[in-house]
Amino acid sequence: MPTKKKPQVTAAPERRRELLDTAAEVFAEQGYNATTVRKIADHAGMLAGSLYYHFDSKESMLEEILRTFLDELWDGYDAVLGAAGLGPRETLEALVTESFREIDRHRAAVAIYQKESKHLVAQERFAFLAESQRKFEKAWLSTLERGVAGQVFRSDLDVRLTYRFVRDTVWVAASWYRPGGHHSPEEIARQYLSMVLDGIAVRT
């Protein structure tokens, strides 16, 4: 007689989210290569073998962490980019605000993305990172180009350099931002946009 397969244990959605949040914090703090399943299990307060009931590898955990972050990011970005009547400045402001909201929701995932994506894209299962990077660049460059063409942004603006500056200065916030701090993500975005769009010198 054939032997019965052991049923796979599926974690409740809340527990699965907790485990992934724990894994994300460990990946962000210690680096993906230095993180073992045992380290994640230790931080989650469980045996390493028990973690395999929920995830088949640390790679699958990392993939789910990054896909969840990027899916939510693009839900927000697509809503901004598809909104009718938004000019280039308003689009830029909305994209920056949405970015800070994502840092608030997925700070550890953003940190992982920043540190690890350059190496991960070489692996087939993480090819989606490269596609997201291309979409991201296109969205920001087209917004800046539209602003220059519409005389909303300066005509002498180096669009690609500006894109890199905005991209890097927004996402580096994941290295210091902590949810629940004195400033909401919307307030940080407002202050940031004030400096980027209006400068920090007093106008004379």
Side-chain angles (χ1 to χ4, degrees):
M1 289 180 63
T3 57
K4 288 185 179 179
K5 280 182 144 184
K6 185 176 180 181
Q8 186 174 1
V9 177
T10 302
E14 297 81 8
R15 180 55 174 160
R16 187 178 184 85
R17 184 72 259 159
E18 288 173 2
L19 293 173
L20 287 172
D21 287 346
T22 298
E25 291 293 340
V26 180
F27 286 140
E29 181 182 342
Q30 301 190 15
Y32 174 65
N33 287 333
T35 298
T36 63
V37 171
R38 181 178 295 278
K39 284 183 180 178
I40 297 170
D42 287 345
H43 280 76
M46 63 196 305
L47 296 174
S50 299
L51 197 57
Y52 283 111
Y53 279 110
H54 309 299
F55 304 96
D56 61 13
S57 64
K58 73 171 188 175
E59 289 82 3
S60 65
M61 298 183 77
L62 181 62
E63 181 180 0
E64 188 166 342
I65 289 165
L66 292 175
R67 282 190 183 276
T68 299
F69 154 57
L70 290 173
D71 285 348
E72 288 192 18
L73 176 71
W74 281 107
D75 283 346
Y77 272 22
D78 287 341
V80 170
L81 297 169
L86 280 187
R89 179 174 176 132
E90 292 76 18
T91 300
L92 180 67
E93 290 171 341
L95 289 174
V96 167
T97 302
E98 190 59 39
S99 299
F100 279 107
R101 286 174 180 152
E102 284 304 311
I103 292 171
D104 181 64
R105 286 190 286 257
H106 296 288
R107 185 203 61 81
V110 174
I112 297 165
Y113 184 86
Q114 289 285 91
K115 295 176 184 176
E116 310 284 357
S117 59
K118 185 181 294 185
H119 309 292
L120 291 172
V121 291
Q123 301 179 37
E124 186 176 348
R125 76 182 300 165
F126 293 104
F128 66 91
L129 295 176
E131 176 59 27
S132 182
Q133 288 166 358
R134 286 190 289 270
K135 281 179 62 182
F136 188 89
E137 181 174 309
K138 181 179 178 181
W140 285 86
L141 285 176
S142 63
T143 300
L144 292 167
E145 288 166 352
R146 188 159 60 96
V148 172
Q151 299 183 336
V152 175
F153 303 142
R154 295 194 337 243
S155 60
D156 63 338
L157 202 66
D158 185 318
V159 172
R160 188 164 291 276
L161 183 61
T162 303
Y163 153 69
R164 288 173 177 164
F165 169 77
V166 172
R167 176 197 65 191
D168 293 348
T169 49
V170 166
W171 294 110
V172 76
S175 66
W176 54 261
Y177 179 81
R178 292 297 179 271
H182 293 299
H183 301 293
S184 69
E186 291 79 11
E187 172 61 17
I188 294 173
R190 188 186 69 77
Q191 292 280 351
Y192 172 85
L193 285 162
S194 175
M195 288 184 284
V196 168
L197 295 172
D198 301 321
I200 62 173
V202 175
R203 294 183 179 181
T204 57

